[in-house]
Amino acid sequence: MADEDETKEYRWESGYEKTWEAIKEDDDGLLESNVADLVARAKRKRAALKDTGAIQLGMMRHLFVVVDASACMFLQDLKPTRFLCVLKLLEVFVHEFFDLNPISQLGILTTKMKRSEQITVLAGNQKKHIEALQQLKDLSCEGEPSLQNSLERAMNGLKNMPAYSSREILVLFGSLTTCDPGDIQKTIKSLKDNNIRVSIIGLAAEVRICQEIAKKTGGTYNVLIDDHHLKELILNQVQPPAVAGSMEASLVKMGFPGGSPIVNDGTSDSSADHAPAYCLCHIESETSSLMGPNGYNCPQCGSRYCELPVECKQCGLTLVSAPHLARSYHHLFPIKPFIERAQVRETTHCFACAKLFVEAETNVYECENCNQIVCLDCDLFIRETLHTCPGCASDPVTAQMKTN
Amino acid sequence: MKLNVDGLLVYFPYDYIYPEQFSYMLELKRALDAKGHCLLEMPSGTGKTTTLLSLIVAYMKAHPLDLTKLVYCSRTVPEIEKVMEELRKLMNYYEKEMGMEQNILGLALSSRKNLCIHPSVSKEREGKVVDGRCYSLTASFVRARHAADDAVPICEFYEGFDAHGKEFPLPPGVYNLDDLKEYGQMKRWCPYFLARHTITHANIVVYSYHYLLDPKIAEVVSKEISKTSVVVFDEAHNIDNVCIDSMSVKITKRLLDKCSNSITILETTISNMKENDSKRLEKEYKRLVEGLRDATIARETDMALVNPVLPSEILEEAVPGTIRTAEHFVAFLKRVVEYIKTRLRVQHVVQESPAGFLRDIHTKVCIDRKPLRFSAERLASLIRTLEISDLTDFSPLVTVSHFATLVSTYTKGFTIIIEPFEDRAPTVSNPILYFSCLDSSIAIKPVFNRFQTVVITSGTLSPLDMYPKILDFHPVIMTSFTMTLARPCILPMIVSKGNDQVAMSSRYETREDTAVIRNYGNLLVEVAAAVPDGIVCFFTSYLYLETIVSSWYDQGIIDQLQRHKLLFIETQDAAETSLALINYIKACDNGRGAVLLSVARGKVSEGIDFDHHLGRAVLMFGIPYVYTQSRILRARLEYLRDQFQIKENDFLTFDAMRHAAQCLGRCMRGKTDYGIMILADKRFSRADKRSKLPKWIQEHLKDTNCNLSTEECVQICKRWLRQMAQPFSREDQLGISLLTLEQLQSEEMQKKIQQRAQGV
């Protein structure tokens, strides 16, 4: 922790945090029920955000993340500094993003000194982005940000993306001011014309122009309360958004590189497939090394890649594996939210985790389809991670129906 | 929705109602029942106008004999338009609910400048010029001349109105200024005279304060309004100053020079007329012998010259012989003007009572009190007789004649101050004679006496008990309402010291102190770094603003500030200020953020709303005491002390705090809005200042926020801004600060409202 002390201010130098103000005593002078209530409410609120319904989702996302790197990002209201906190959370975000949206692409921009800089180009390789984010930590934050410049830059990158993909910009904006070269209204208009959705997360207070940008382009605008809330806000962006207006539906050509290295059926071309070759992702870097027989070959041009998903550098084909597509699939058929109801006598334990219901937890959750009852934690786990109801899955009848 | 307010069926044109609106209606109804005056304070942005209108209209419908007319006085033309919009909404709702046309006529009245549709006259920009040109086209003698000679131009719209308009009353409905113009265009009638004619039988009249308070205008416009009317003064926190201004006269040297010119013109015209048409002058003489009353049976178009309030018995008398003939009167005027000129030739400040002035004028130039009293009337009569159609040149002379009449009519409540130079520039000779009204109750007294109910209302009237004293009336209801809020959307704070613990104050002794100025600067810089979009700052005076800004330049604070936001400054030049305002709004709109430095009591502090992002924070640097060295003010304070037993300090604090509250209220224009209010002066936290803030601000001013340092203040701001930025929807307000009909009728809510009504 020695290195952290250098950047972090002393506790007594930071702002007053009146943590006790959030807690109020109940009628008996006890805090317990109140705290439990508070926690439950917060959790539920998050879950409720994710609506269901048969909407078209932009599954193939092209997202630019704009990180404010102006002087105000050195403020220490998020620990250790705003900038470091945001970078750290972004790492988590990038990871989650590719986990849930494997066939999407992401790029990173920063803005400082009234200019905008590109850190990574749009690409589907999460390692690269995370590396870039880690390197950013040494960047000095100075000057004022420019919303217009960074939006224009992101727009230039997104403009030429295919029409069936969802184009998005996520801005993490710490400053309360923007220093722009021209009329930002024009930028907003062309963003709108290009169907680019801009979501903004403010780190300090509500800024009117951000509100306006988000509203006009169909994105969201939120301001954090503390770092936990920030994490929540950032991770809310992981879910693919509903398509605004009419997005062109079309068939997308994709490559499924075959040839898992273990399988060797002895055909003549397989030896060529697994001949040692340079991985195309790393060919430009100094440390590139000859790959063994492992890797994925583009079915169209035969280039070798060490990781999927990736866009083939040679022929531009999107290379994915079947599980990736399957993972995106659940976005299309999210499970219906469970019904919140008062505890029932008959069921004494949670169907999913078999935990006994205690007095403190007043509410339980019931699946509409299979009428099984689960506890709050399981409800959230099912919704956020599992994406399938254990009750329905274990019931042969409903499980059958779902596959049909 | 339809409400039951204490047994009265009120149609309210919205689906939701704020609880305080309902309480307001209850109180207002009580005042109407009691046929007494009332004083109501309710924060801006809580729908005062619509509440007032819907209750009073409902009352008029229920008791058509007790209450016949509503006179709604507002300050500016945009405000008048807003009232008309609300009224239109209300009437549409009535029509929808009752399924038939309503027999109610609502009407807005403004000056000729805003209502004229004459193709060339309406192009003029200045109100006085429009009035003058209108007069030259519509005066009775001009029209008489036109009858004889077609070449004399007249206004076809006025002719149209005169020929037909008087017989056909305006059909019921709601007419704002544009509607009147449109109607006038359609019928080819003059909208201005149509509106003035219609006032007598309209149910609802909306116009500016001056039509009722300025005796010169009220005499003509509002004389025939019946006693069973209710008069509403909206935004009335400055009503005493309006009263005083309407009775005060200021005479400068330039004005007197212009008077001399006008007198020469009068002389030549008279001698010309004597040669050509001496009969007319004789006729006038005879008329004057018979008494003025007959002479002033107003041909309404000749309204440009009317007398200030005169007890009517004077008007019954005959004009004194000394000024009856035209030449004598002109010579008399000349003497008066010359006398005032000699009085202005002083080296030191003179202050005297009207009585002293009268004595002096008698001994020096042998002018009695009586002819002076008649001078305004006599001048009006003369100008009519001479058929001078261009009145703009005579306005200086009219001012002097008004002064002469006023000074000889009122011996109490006025003072005369002659200053040879301004305090700021003691070397430049610029003599000014102030005839200053000290008693605000003089101008408003006729209003209180004549009408059965007068409602004085505003967002900031605290402390309420001061107004009955200075306006000299007895209200039956005096209530201050707070704002029920679903979230704490105002954050008032008193910052008393900087980070270095030096106390901040605009006290005279410390205001030049660099430490204080630096601390003020640091406060602004830190707030500018933490608050998004627009910030408005108020200083106590232009002078103080200038000194502070120049020392901020030296201290480098301006540079620091400009790193966060652009800087705009209000100046005394109206055009410059409006340009600054436009750019301020632009900077706020496109996200650059801006700081506006302005002055309490200036244009910005009175008329301009900074809603939502235009005013996220208001800073009040120092307590906006009025310039206490002013002799006029000191005379007024003395008078208040002697006549109304109001301590000087009490009045000064009252005046300062109402202006401070007015400035603070700029940033809060509705329940979805939110804003920070920072009072940067140590003295604000004292009980006598704090308790004079409006209740709705006091309610949110916690004890813990009363003695903050800059840093503490900024921390609180940051946290609060984040809270406020969280999504806020109508559903969050429902049931707390916004009620449906069912919620309003629920027993619990009724109880709460009852409690609130009793609590105050």
Side-chain angles (χ1 to χ4, degrees):
Chain A
M1 297 305 272
D3 58 344
E4 214 179 288
D5 279 346
E6 284 163 20
T7 52
K8 194 177 171 181
E9 69 180 351
Y10 290 109
R11 202 76 187 92
W12 57 86
E13 285 179 332
S14 63
Y16 309 105
E17 290 169 14
K18 299 184 181 173
T19 43
W20 58 90
E21 274 188 357
I23 303 166
K24 288 193 184 71
E25 294 177 358
D26 63 5
D27 296 338
D28 306 326
L30 295 175
L31 295 174
E32 213 170 300
S33 63
N34 200 298
V35 172
D37 192 42
L38 226 65
V39 172
R41 212 169 339 130
K43 282 183 180 169
R44 236 359 242 183
K45 206 170 175 184
R46 191 152 40 112
L49 273 178
K50 290 154 197 164
D51 284 342
T52 56
I55 36 171
Q56 193 186 357
L57 293 174
M59 301 267 293
M60 223 177 147
R61 305 171 68 185
H62 289 100
L63 172 73
F64 263 111
V65 179
V66 180
V67 185
D68 186 354
S70 60
C72 69
M73 293 301 281
F74 262 149
L75 290 181
Q76 289 160 329
D77 48 359
L78 298 173
K79 306 291 182 285
T81 66
R82 278 187 189 176
F83 195 57
L84 296 181
C85 181
V86 164
L87 289 183
K88 197 144 202 165
L89 288 172
L90 269 184
E91 278 178 36
V92 181
F93 170 74
V94 169
H95 186 79
E96 294 269 317
F97 180 80
F98 283 113
D99 202 37
L100 279 172
N101 309 282
I103 50 174
S104 302
Q105 295 192 10
L106 188 136
I108 300 173
L109 300 174
T110 61
T111 171
K112 65 174 185 176
M113 310 269 286
K114 302 164 196 166
R115 282 196 299 268
S116 166
E117 273 171 56
Q118 188 145 23
I119 304 298
T120 57
V121 289
L122 273 184
N125 189 333
Q126 61 164 299
K127 264 191 203 158
K128 241 181 172 176
H129 295 305
I130 291 179
E131 260 167 42
L133 283 174
Q134 274 159 357
Q135 275 163 15
L136 268 184
K137 280 181 183 159
D138 303 326
L139 191 77
S140 69
C141 298
E142 52 197 334
E144 292 138 336
S146 168
L147 263 183
Q148 193 186 16
N149 281 337
S150 32
L151 290 179
E152 291 272 359
R153 185 151 203 161
M155 186 162 64
N156 284 337
L158 289 172
K159 224 167 18 192
N160 301 321
M161 287 301 140
Y164 53 80
S165 72
S166 153
R167 307 161 187 182
E168 296 165 55
I169 301 174
L170 170 65
V171 187
L172 293 159
F173 202 58
S175 171
L176 295 174
T177 171
T178 157
C179 201
D180 296 332
D183 186 5
I184 197 159
Q185 297 295 341
K186 279 184 197 149
T187 313
I188 297 176
K189 201 170 167 292
S190 52
L191 283 170
K192 221 173 133 189
D193 293 342
N194 281 313
N195 262 331
I196 297 174
R197 173 199 315 258
V198 184
S199 293
I200 303 179
I201 297 176
L203 304 184
E206 182 186 350
V207 180
R208 169 53 64 104
I209 192 70
C210 297
Q211 176 88 292
E212 198 179 326
I213 293 174
K215 203 171 160 195
K216 284 194 177 161
T217 59
T220 57
Y221 178 55
N222 292 96
V223 177
L224 64 87
I225 292 176
D226 52 23
D227 45 355
H228 298 291
H229 188 221
L230 175 64
K231 187 174 178 186
E232 210 170 281
L233 290 176
I234 291 184
L235 292 186
N236 277 343
Q237 300 292 332
V238 168
Q239 295 283 333
V243 172
S246 59
M247 191 191 276
E248 179 184 325
S250 63
L251 295 170
V252 185
K253 194 173 171 187
M254 279 187 185
F256 295 88
S260 155
I262 309 149
V263 182
N264 196 345
D265 53 3
T267 46
S268 58
D269 60 337
S270 73
S271 59
D273 272 357
H274 300 293
Y278 284 103
C279 163
L280 271 188
C281 342
H282 296 97
I283 201 148
E284 282 151 27
S285 61
E286 302 268 316
T287 55
S288 69
S289 58
L290 206 59
M291 283 176 74
N294 311 4
Y296 307 93
N297 293 348
C298 171
Q300 196 162 259
C301 65
S303 343
R304 175 76 58 93
Y305 294 94
C306 62
E307 241 189 5
L308 290 182
V310 74
E311 191 174 334
C312 179
K313 283 196 178 171
Q314 210 77 319
C315 59
L317 190 67
T318 311
L319 305 180
V320 291
S321 70
H324 286 138
L325 277 188
R327 252 195 282 159
S328 296
Y329 184 75
H330 75 256
H331 290 310
L332 294 178
F333 303 100
I335 50 170
K336 282 186 185 163
F338 290 179
I339 304 159
E340 185 171 338
R341 48 185 299 177
Q343 233 181 76
V344 258
R345 292 271 151 171
E346 306 88 72
T347 45
T348 53
H349 61 274
C350 167
F351 176 79
C353 63
K355 190 178 78 172
L356 278 178
F357 291 130
V358 288
E359 284 290 311
E361 277 180 90
T362 47
N363 290 328
V364 292
Y365 301 90
E366 183 183 325
C367 171
E368 263 184 38
N369 281 340
C370 61
N371 298 340
Q372 294 295 355
I373 286 177
V374 298
C375 65
L376 174 63
D377 290 322
C378 288
D379 172 44
L380 294 173
F381 180 70
I382 290 166
R383 193 169 317 289
E384 281 168 5
T385 319
L386 220 47
H387 303 293
T388 179
C389 167
C392 302
S394 59
D395 183 347
V397 182
T398 46
Q400 199 68 42
M401 272 167 62
K402 196 167 183 186
T403 45
N404 292 343
Chain B
M1 62 173 126
K2 290 175 211 165
L3 304 169
N4 176 2
V5 180
D6 195 15
L8 179 73
L9 175 70
V10 175
Y11 284 73
F12 189 73
Y14 296 94
D15 293 336
Y16 302 99
I17 186 169
Y18 298 140
E20 56 270 30
Q21 286 181 317
F22 191 77
S23 318
Y24 193 95
M25 286 187 191
L26 282 174
E27 297 294 321
L28 189 57
K29 166 141 193 309
R30 269 201 250 158
L32 290 176
D33 283 339
K35 294 195 175 30
H37 310 315
C38 67
L39 203 61
L40 299 169
E41 181 187 50
M42 186 156 91
S44 42
T46 48
K48 248 189 325 264
T49 308
T50 189
T51 315
L52 268 167
L53 288 175
S54 47
L55 186 93
I56 292 175
V57 169
Y59 202 92
M60 284 202 295
K61 289 209 161 243
H63 311 276
L65 294 177
D66 294 342
L67 190 67
T68 51
K69 194 192 279 276
L70 162 65
V71 180
Y72 195 109
C73 300
S74 203
R75 275 189 315 186
T76 57
V77 174
E79 274 169 23
I80 289 175
E81 294 284 354
K82 258 191 262 171
V83 176
M84 294 318 285
E85 251 352 275
E86 289 294 339
L87 182 61
R88 194 187 305 269
K89 244 182 228 163
L90 179 67
M91 291 336 286
N92 287 344
Y93 184 70
Y94 262 101
E95 249 161 56
K96 209 179 94 199
E97 287 297 312
M98 298 179 110
M100 53 176 180
E101 294 258 318
Q102 293 301 304
N103 192 21
I104 280 193
L105 176 60
L107 169 85
L109 176 66
S110 182
S111 63
R112 287 182 173 86
K113 188 185 137 215
N114 295 320
L115 277 174
C116 185
I117 53 172
H118 188 275
S120 72
V121 177
S122 60
K123 296 259 160 41
E124 298 288 350
R125 292 249 176 97
E126 228 172 293
K128 257 189 190 159
V129 180
V130 176
D131 286 352
R133 288 198 53 190
C134 180
Y135 179 79
S136 68
L137 292 174
T138 56
S140 48
F141 58 83
V142 175
R143 296 174 57 218
R145 234 184 272 163
H146 175 81
D149 175 9
D150 273 348
V152 178
I154 50 164
C155 174
E156 58 155 323
F157 297 100
Y158 180 74
E159 295 303 319
F161 165 72
D162 196 49
H164 311 288
K166 286 184 178 166
E167 283 86 52
F168 299 99
L170 211 56
V174 177
Y175 298 87
N176 66 15
L177 300 179
D178 285 336
D179 296 336
L180 279 172
K181 276 198 209 172
E182 212 171 276
Y183 187 80
Q185 282 286 9
M186 191 184 76
K187 294 263 183 184
R188 314 294 290 170
W189 293 348
C190 174
Y192 174 76
F193 286 103
L194 178 67
R196 267 187 49 195
H197 176 72
T198 314
I199 278 183
T200 45
H201 64 266
N203 306 86
I204 297 162
V205 181
V206 183
Y207 55 37
S208 140
Y209 278 18
H210 298 280
Y211 288 102
L212 213 51
L213 289 183
D214 192 333
K216 291 160 240 160
I217 310 176
E219 176 82 2
V220 181
V221 179
S222 312
K223 200 164 55 181
E224 283 164 21
I225 294 177
S226 71
K227 197 178 152 32
T228 52
S229 305
V230 50
V231 176
V232 176
F233 289 104
D234 197 1
E235 302 291 330
H237 46 270
N238 264 346
I239 194 165
D240 55 320
N241 290 338
V242 177
C243 293
I244 283 178
D245 286 347
S246 70
M247 300 287 280
S248 298
V249 182
K250 184 174 139 188
I251 297 175
T252 61
K253 194 139 190 225
R254 262 184 67 206
L255 189 112
L256 287 177
D257 291 339
K258 279 190 195 154
C259 282
S260 305
N261 290 342
S262 329
I263 289 177
T264 332
I265 299 175
L266 279 183
E267 270 175 340
T268 49
T269 331
I270 289 173
S271 61
N272 279 346
M273 186 172 277
K274 241 188 168 170
E275 281 165 21
N276 305 332
D277 193 4
S278 58
K279 260 188 209 151
R280 194 138 27 118
L281 285 173
E282 268 168 41
K283 218 192 276 170
E284 187 201 20
Y285 182 85
K286 273 180 198 145
R287 210 170 52 221
L288 292 174
V289 175
E290 281 158 20
L292 266 176
R293 226 343 144 189
D294 303 334
T296 53
I297 288 180
R299 271 162 293 174
E300 58 183 358
T301 50
D302 301 345
M303 59 79 70
L305 297 169
V306 280
N307 67 316
V309 267
L310 284 173
S312 50
E313 58 266 28
I314 292 182
L315 291 176
E316 309 293 334
E317 282 178 50
V319 171
T322 45
I323 55 170
R324 249 179 245 166
T325 58
E327 293 108 319
H328 290 172
F329 179 61
V330 172
F332 166 84
L333 272 183
K334 219 178 191 173
R335 276 212 319 276
V336 173
V337 171
E338 287 306 318
Y339 170 74
I340 299 174
K341 268 190 192 166
T342 56
R343 290 303 306 267
L344 282 183
R345 234 169 276 138
V346 285
Q347 294 303 316
H348 55 94
V349 179
V350 178
Q351 180 172 0
E352 64 184 5
S353 65
F357 182 87
L358 288 177
R359 197 178 326 117
D360 196 56
I361 198 170
H362 183 71
T363 50
K364 291 240 174 78
V365 287
C366 302
I367 289 180
D368 282 333
R369 184 174 174 187
K370 201 169 174 196
L372 268 183
R373 252 182 174 183
F374 282 88
S375 58
E377 271 307 319
R378 182 66 187 88
L379 181 67
S381 160
L382 181 67
I383 287 180
R384 250 195 326 267
T385 314
L386 296 181
E387 301 187 349
I388 295 165
S389 52
D390 190 6
L391 283 181
T392 26
D393 292 346
F394 286 93
S395 63
L397 199 56
V398 173
T399 313
V400 171
S401 73
H402 280 161
F403 164 68
T405 307
L406 282 170
V407 78
S408 50
T409 310
Y410 295 99
T411 46
K412 230 182 85 180
F414 287 82
T415 190
I416 295 167
I417 293 169
I418 304 170
E419 286 183 346
F421 44 74
E422 276 181 55
D423 276 351
R424 255 180 249 163
T427 48
V428 187
S429 159
N430 179 24
I432 299 175
L433 182 145
Y434 295 99
F435 177 67
S436 172
C437 175
L438 304 176
D439 188 349
S440 47
S441 64
I442 292 175
I444 205 169
K445 192 163 222 117
V447 178
F448 281 128
N449 287 344
R450 189 157 63 191
F451 301 112
Q452 64 179 32
T453 303
V454 176
V455 181
I456 291 182
T457 186
S458 172
T460 49
L461 280 180
S462 295
L464 287 173
D465 52 351
M466 188 60 94
Y467 286 90
K469 276 193 212 161
I470 56 176
L471 298 178
D472 195 20
F473 75 109
H474 300 286
V476 290
I477 304 274
M478 213 161 58
T479 308
S480 170
F481 301 92
T482 60
M483 188 158 30
T484 47
L485 293 167
R487 54 174 191 174
C489 64
I490 58 171
L491 178 66
M493 287 183 284
I494 296 173
V495 180
S496 58
K497 49 193 184 280
N499 286 339
D500 52 5
Q501 302 301 316
V502 174
M504 283 197 264
S505 174
S506 69
R507 273 174 66 210
Y508 189 71
E509 293 80 20
T510 59
R511 74 169 51 157
E512 306 289 324
D513 191 347
T514 42
V516 172
I517 295 179
R518 192 187 54 236
N519 271 331
Y520 273 150
N522 284 336
L523 174 66
L524 180 56
V525 170
E526 292 203 23
V527 169
V531 175
D533 299 326
I535 295 178
V536 190
C537 307
F538 291 100
F539 291 84
T540 51
S541 66
Y542 285 106
L543 195 67
Y544 191 48
L545 170 65
E546 279 160 29
T547 43
I548 281 209
V549 169
S550 65
S551 12
W552 280 355
Y553 259 114
D554 299 339
Q555 293 170 349
I557 283 169
I558 299 282
D559 285 338
Q560 286 177 45
L561 193 60
Q562 280 180 326
R563 228 170 281 158
H564 301 294
K565 292 188 192 301
L566 303 183
L567 189 63
F568 297 95
I569 299 177
E570 180 192 5
T571 62
Q572 268 153 318
D573 184 342
E576 231 170 53
T577 303
S578 59
L579 188 70
L581 269 174
I582 290 169
N583 285 313
Y584 171 82
I585 291 170
K586 213 168 163 188
C588 291
D589 277 342
N590 64 25
R592 184 68 185 86
V595 175
L596 180 67
L597 304 183
S598 54
V599 171
R601 297 160 197 279
K603 179 187 167 209
V604 170
S605 73
E606 275 298 325
I608 291 153
D609 291 348
F610 296 97
D611 50 355
H612 296 284
H613 65 295
L614 296 182
R616 280 289 175 237
V618 174
L619 283 91
M620 183 82 235
F621 290 117
I623 300 182
Y625 279 118
V626 59
Y627 177 59
T628 45
Q629 304 301 307
S630 145
R631 289 180 187 84
I632 300 173
L633 177 79
R634 274 195 274 167
R636 187 171 174 206
L637 288 177
E638 226 163 81
Y639 183 82
L640 286 174
R641 191 189 57 208
D642 296 346
Q643 296 297 317
F644 300 114
Q645 287 79 46
I646 298 170
K647 272 190 240 151
E648 284 147 355
N649 225 354
D650 280 355
F651 183 78
L652 285 176
T653 312
F654 152 77
D655 187 62
M657 290 315 285
R658 72 171 161 178
H659 278 102
Q662 198 40 229
C663 296
L664 295 180
R666 293 293 102 200
C667 72
M668 188 60 204
R669 302 327 271 178
K671 291 196 171 185
T672 52
D673 201 355
Y674 63 90
I676 298 169
M677 303 169 170
I678 296 175
L679 296 152
D681 194 309
K682 196 175 79 175
R683 294 170 292 170
F684 277 117
S685 52
R686 286 189 205 151
D688 63 324
K689 313 277 187 312
R690 220 181 120 189
S691 62
K692 287 196 171 70
L693 282 172
K695 214 171 146 198
W696 59 278
I697 296 180
Q698 261 187 61
E699 205 179 46
H700 288 90
L701 183 59
K702 291 183 224 134
D703 283 339
T704 46
N705 287 357
C706 277
N707 188 16
L708 299 175
S709 72
T710 303
E711 191 189 14
E712 289 168 321
C713 157
V714 171
Q715 290 295 348
I716 293 172
C717 286
K718 278 187 181 165
R719 202 150 38 88
W720 184 81
L721 280 170
R722 284 184 180 162
Q723 267 168 20
M724 285 300 119
Q726 300 313 311
F728 182 64
S729 61
R730 170 176 271 174
E731 283 68 41
D732 295 330
Q733 290 188 42
L734 265 180
I736 305 170
S737 59
L738 197 65
L739 305 176
T740 59
L741 189 56
E742 294 80 49
Q743 282 167 330
L744 182 69
Q745 281 162 346
S746 75
E747 228 166 88
E748 195 187 344
M749 193 46 78
Q750 288 290 340
K751 216 183 276 171
K752 256 192 214 165
I753 287 171
Q754 285 300 327
Q755 270 171 5
R756 178 185 319 201
Q758 282 161 9
V760 287

